[in-house]
Amino acid sequence: MRSIWNGAISFGLVSIPIKLFNATESHSISFRQIHTEDGGRVRYRKVCELDGEELDASEIGKAYEDADGSLVPITDDDLAALPLPTARTIEIVAFVPADSIDPLQIDTAYYLSASGVPAAKPYTLLREALKRSRKVAVAKFALRGRERLGMLRVVDDVIAMHGLLWPDEIRAPEGVAPDSAVKIRDAELDLADALMDTLGEVDVDSLHDDYREAVESLIASKAGGALPPAEAPETKGGGKVIDLMAALEKSVRAAKEARGEEAAEPAEVTELKPRKTAARKSAPAKKTATKAATKTTSAKAATKSTSKASAAKKSVASPKASAAGAKKSTATTAKKTAKKAAPRKRASA
């Protein structure tokens, strides 16, 4: 790596010569602007407004534009001559707990390297002191035309420095929070906790930039004359959540499936009792009506059955009555015939 700044760390009366290196690098894919009709490159040329001449980097300086539009030239020598102790020095002003630094302030990261053999011992002393105290150092330094805040901490066996934004550079979150009051139930918090526990931790080194890989694949395909890859199907989600509890439960199950756990295992949460509605309150009356209807139907069936039995008994008894009537009629006829015949016999005698 190539150093971008040389100076020293001021640690009380101890001065540690160091070199500053960028600790991060961007892997974003950059694009050039082209003329869409013929594919020609579109370039920006730096031209002087007064004489119209195109300038190179060596001919370009910096200036401050005043409120009236006038320009005040400022050279690098002017900045280097400023009466600031931080012009070439990282001045440590305090040692504080790491959690006292607002993450919103953290900016670009740098590595600090001991410059030369004599700097190795004081460098190591500061590194070990930071390790044992479990604190970070707050410092001030000047870089690229401005004074900045920095936070020094230990990464492996190296002292790293994070540039910090000044407190007045952090915007207040006014108007960002929801306007309406929202009530969160304990059951919803329990499900959120269950989801957090299920997701657990992640090895950051295993994460990668899917978008960059897709762009690289697209570029390779088009460079080889192939058709661009098919569009990815739209993912369902991102819409309005109607049932927060159901969404949380589904998320817990999905997270468990992704981690190889049993998908059917329910989330360890307290279930809410269903609310009583008018339909549920009328259920007992409905049951009573059903029982009454059943009793009425049973009574009607019993009455009908009794009527049928009586009719059957009458039907069985009627043949006997008919036979008795027939015998009685025959006897009466015989008696009448005998009475009529008796006088005729006497007359003939």
Side-chain angles (χ1 to χ4, degrees), residues 94-176:
F95 292 89
V96 300
D99 57 5
S100 66
I101 303 296
D102 189 344
L104 285 174
Q105 289 185 256
I106 297 177
D107 200 3
T108 310
Y110 307 95
Y111 288 137
L112 304 181
S113 170
S115 181
V117 176
K121 187 168 183 177
Y123 180 95
T124 305
L125 173 63
L126 176 59
R127 183 191 67 195
E128 295 304 314
L130 288 171
K131 278 185 180 181
R132 191 168 69 172
S133 67
R134 297 183 180 180
K135 293 183 177 181
V136 297
V138 177
K140 295 172 68 176
F141 67 102
L143 181 65
R144 293 170 181 166
R146 56 183 292 239
E147 188 175 54
R148 309 184 183 197
L149 278 178
M151 178 186 73
L152 278 64
R153 68 185 185 96
V154 178
V155 178
D156 295 333
D157 289 331
V158 175
I159 297 176
M161 182 175 68
H162 297 270
L164 298 178
L165 299 174
W166 295 99
D168 60 358
E169 293 179 316
I170 305 297
R171 292 181 175 179
E174 295 178 357
V176 179

